[in-house]
Amino acid sequence: MLDRLNQLEHDALDSLAQVNSAEDLAAWQASIFGTKRSKGELDQVLSVLGTLGREERPAFGRRANEVKQALLAALEARQSVVKAQELERQLQKGVLDVTLPGTPVHRGRLHPSTQALRRIVRIFAQMGFEVYRSPEVETDENNFELLNMPPEHPARDMWDTFYTTTPGVLLRTHTSPGQIRVMRERYPKPIRVVLPGMVYRYEQVTARSEMQFNQVEGLAVGRNITLADLKGTMTEFARQMYGSQQRIRFRCSYFPFTEPSVEVDVYWGLETERDRMITKGTGWLEIAGAGMVHPKVLRNGGYDPAQWTGFAFGMGVERTAMRLYGINDIRYFWSNDLRFLEQF
Ligand code: DAH
């Protein structure tokens, strides 16, 4: 019986030495060790174990195990030889061109809105403004009422709104409700904060307005704050953001929560039809609304308007980024087109 084992080992090693391809190697492995469906030669020899006498069995078992281990080791060794041979063959055929560029790895980056937002926040941080986070899902009270827009106030028409199914709860239409939150939390300390984040409007999407966008709200409340502080702050911001040659203008406007109110425009240019569309024919792009905080709003925040004054602004981050990068359509920001996003 041991002879059959020895014979098997000898023959198998012999035929293994002839194997030169991955397919032949697989066939050899199947013939010796078997597959799920068929028995291999080794199993066949081992099947005689049951017919052996008691004295013969231990020696046979031991030898069978040795043979099996030897064949497995030989198989492994042959596998690496065959692999090397195949690689060599491919190299000779020229299949593998090591000078070809590899598979490119896509590098992630920050969205241009996030980049612009961080830049804006960094500039205000240098001027002493602290970042304050406030929620995107707001109450009607904070978003409108406490900002001096009671229900049915016509100024609400300026903000087409996404309401939730919970009465009195909506997606904020601007970052201004954060003013109320900061004031109520910080009273009676002076305030100098910026509030960045996404806002939502149920609006027609055009080249100059989207239905979701980022704003950075600013709020400064103190004892002797005047419109001159607002002008100085916005002018310095524009200088830092766009360089000292950037032209900026303040235009009278109306917001229920400021008095007086202004809009802040940066010069865009008026050469092409596109310029005309984006700037409504003026050459100027509005990047922020601003003004002196309305006495009623100060009072709603807990500050006595006889003693405190403040300025506020709400800046459109994508508008600001359009001017910064020369992007002439705001819809690019949320269309998720990599050809656009990878340019920043
Ligand atoms: N909340 C206004 C808007 O979204 C912008 C704005 C105007 C914010 C004047 C202010 C402000 O803080 O003082 O249209």
Side-chain angles (χ1 to χ4, degrees):
M1 271 303 130
L2 283 178
D3 286 352
R4 273 188 69 182
L5 268 176
N6 292 337
Q7 189 64 41
L8 168 69
E9 181 181 27
H10 182 262
D11 292 350
L13 288 176
D14 252 9
S15 59
L16 183 61
Q18 315 294 319
V19 167
N20 284 314
S21 71
E23 298 93 69
D24 290 353
L25 199 64
W28 180 88
Q29 188 174 4
S31 77
I32 303 300
F33 295 105
T35 62
K36 271 189 197 135
R37 280 195 222 107
S38 65
K39 281 195 164 180
E41 286 175 36
L42 194 59
D43 297 309
Q44 280 167 20
V45 176
L46 289 181
S47 65
V48 303
L49 191 69
T51 70
L52 294 178
R54 272 175 158 262
E55 324 74 58
E56 279 180 294
R57 272 191 216 176
F60 183 85
R62 205 177 313 118
R63 182 68 190 125
N65 206 30
E66 277 170 21
V67 170
K68 185 175 176 186
Q69 294 311 322
L71 292 178
L72 281 174
L75 171 65
E76 208 172 296
R78 196 67 199 163
Q79 262 165 347
S80 39
V81 172
V82 167
K83 218 172 171 183
Q85 281 176 344
E86 299 228 316
L87 184 64
E88 183 61 29
R89 234 175 283 142
Q90 287 192 346
L91 279 172
Q92 269 168 12
K93 273 198 286 177
V95 174
L96 187 70
D97 180 353
V98 292
T99 64
L100 282 176
T103 317
V105 178
H106 274 282
R107 290 181 62 192
R109 69 197 71 212
L110 293 175
H111 190 280
S113 289
T114 308
Q115 291 185 35
L117 192 143
R118 290 193 180 179
R119 207 169 148 147
I120 295 168
V121 165
R122 208 178 305 132
I123 293 170
F124 284 110
Q126 279 171 6
M127 294 193 250
F129 287 79
E130 162 199 3
V131 173
Y132 189 99
R133 289 268 171 197
S134 69
E136 292 177 19
V137 180
E138 260 294 3
T139 59
D140 185 282
E141 197 182 17
N142 283 343
N143 195 82
F144 291 122
E145 271 180 61
L146 296 172
L147 294 175
N148 200 23
M149 281 175 279
E152 317 308 331
H153 192 291
R156 286 193 180 209
D157 287 350
M158 288 161 74
W159 292 274
D160 297 318
T161 309
F162 287 107
Y163 292 92
T164 68
T165 46
T166 312
V169 177
L170 42 79
L171 295 188
R172 66 177 175 188
T173 58
H174 49 183
T175 42
S176 303
Q179 292 187 25
I180 300 292
R181 292 176 178 271
V182 186
M183 286 192 280
R184 292 191 164 176
E185 189 189 295
R186 294 290 163 88
Y187 179 81
K189 290 192 216 120
I191 295 173
R192 210 186 293 177
V193 293
V194 283
L195 304 98
M198 192 68 89
V199 302
Y200 304 87
R201 293 192 196 167
Y202 186 56
E203 266 186 3
Q204 172 87 35
V205 172
T206 68
R208 47 176 284 133
S209 43
E210 257 284 6
M211 61 187 217
Q212 69 175 70
F213 53 98
N214 285 289
Q215 282 189 334
V216 174
E217 189 85 9
L219 176 68
V221 177
R223 295 287 180 177
N224 293 303
I225 291 181
T226 70
L227 191 66
D229 296 310
L230 171 64
K231 273 191 90 173
T233 305
M234 298 316 282
T235 306
E236 179 58 19
F237 166 78
R239 243 184 237 149
Q240 299 249 354
M241 191 75 179
Y242 301 116
S244 54
Q245 69 297 345
Q246 174 63 51
R247 287 161 70 200
I248 173 173
R249 75 175 184 185
F250 297 82
R251 195 160 34 84
C252 287
S253 187
Y254 169 76
F255 296 101
F257 33 89
T258 40
E259 182 58 39
S261 304
V262 295
E263 273 172 69
V264 184
D265 299 344
V266 290
Y267 192 69
W268 173 276
L270 193 57
E271 274 151 37
T272 64
E273 198 41 47
R274 193 34 89 98
D275 294 341
R276 197 168 299 283
M277 241 166 75
I278 287 170
T279 65
K280 286 187 179 164
T282 64
W284 294 84
L285 184 71
E286 176 206 333
I287 60 161
M292 298 306 291
V293 182
H294 195 288
K296 279 195 187 158
V297 175
L298 280 173
R299 199 174 294 121
N300 288 340
Y303 287 77
D304 176 3
Q307 296 184 43
W308 299 86
T309 53
F311 70 74
F313 58 85
M315 187 173 288
V317 173
E318 284 75 21
R319 289 280 184 86
T320 308
M322 284 168 82
R323 174 71 192 127
L324 186 65
Y325 300 123
I327 297 165
N328 62 13
D329 193 321
I330 204 167
R331 288 167 294 194
Y332 283 126
F333 285 97
W334 308 115
S335 57
N336 255 352
D337 188 335
L338 286 179
R339 289 170 304 177
F340 169 74
L341 296 172
E342 282 179 346
Q343 293 177 45
F344 302 95

